[in-house]
Amino acid sequence: MSEFKFQAHRGDSVSYPENTLISYLAAVEQGYRIVEMDCKFTKDNVCIMLHDGTVNRTCRRDDGSAFEEKTASTALTLAEIKAEFILGKDGKATTEKVPTLKELLEEFKDKDCKIFVEFKGGNSQNIVKTCELLKQYDMIHKVDVIS
């Protein structure tokens, strides 16, 4: 990395759809030393990378249709979330999907960066599950959990 850059909020959310693997990877390639992501939990308690409490601003259904107003991530299962596409800067669906924390850890276990995982709500059992996942991937030293 040629230039030191501090923190990429939601990855490189200027050039790529926020909170996507491509956004995080681009941020690290650009020299960011810390990538920050916002986490929510699905109805079936899977940790996903999503800033808002709802999917309406950032996602569209597989068929391109919008969700009903204020559809919370906690009201959808992981399978339902994975059937969505992330919207690009132009408001059109991309090929990007909402990543899970597990997918992110798999992708970043060998990357030279620190990860800030920010929880916006949720219960303590989900935090415990997240810590267990960090241990499983031996990433306790690379990840700070904030709330």
Side-chain angles (χ1 to χ4, degrees):
M1 292 182 230
S2 59
E3 180 184 336
F4 177 79
K5 297 178 182 180
F6 182 61
Q7 181 178 342
H9 183 66
R10 303 180 201 171
D12 176 7
S13 58
V14 172
S15 303
Y16 297 94
E18 67 182 60
N19 282 328
T20 58
L21 289 178
I22 193 169
S23 176
Y24 299 129
L25 289 168
V28 171
E29 287 174 12
Q30 292 171 31
Y32 284 92
R33 304 292 297 180
I34 299 171
V35 291
E36 181 271 346
M37 60 223 39
D38 305 294
C39 298
K40 298 283 190 284
F41 285 88
T42 61
K43 183 177 182 177
D44 48 351
N45 291 318
V46 177
C47 185
I48 58 171
M49 309 294 104
L50 188 69
H51 177 268
D52 300 356
T54 68
V55 295
N56 302 78
R57 181 179 65 86
T58 57
C59 301
R60 288 294 177 265
R61 288 192 171 112
D62 204 10
D63 64 4
S65 65
F67 285 87
E68 294 80 25
E69 191 172 334
K70 298 185 180 178
T71 303
S73 62
T74 55
L76 301 169
T77 65
L78 179 62
E80 292 169 322
I81 294 273
K82 286 296 191 176
E84 302 172 13
F85 289 97
I86 301 286
L87 296 177
K89 298 291 176 192
D90 59 2
K92 295 180 181 175
T94 67
T95 58
E96 294 298 309
K97 300 286 188 166
V98 175
T100 64
L101 178 59
K102 184 176 180 178
E103 291 168 339
L104 181 115
L105 295 177
E106 288 173 359
E107 188 70 43
F108 279 80
K109 62 185 173 190
D110 298 321
K111 301 281 187 245
D112 183 24
C113 67
K114 186 90 171 158
I115 299 170
F116 283 179
V117 174
E118 181 176 358
F119 288 101
K120 300 197 180 242
N123 68 44
S124 60
Q125 289 303 316
N126 290 333
I127 304 298
V128 170
K129 284 176 57 175
T130 300
C131 291
E132 289 170 358
L133 192 60
L134 296 177
K135 287 178 188 175
Q136 176 187 338
Y137 280 89
D138 191 29
M139 291 187 65
I140 294 287
H141 65 286
K142 285 183 74 166
V143 178
D144 287 340
V145 177
I146 57 180
S147 179

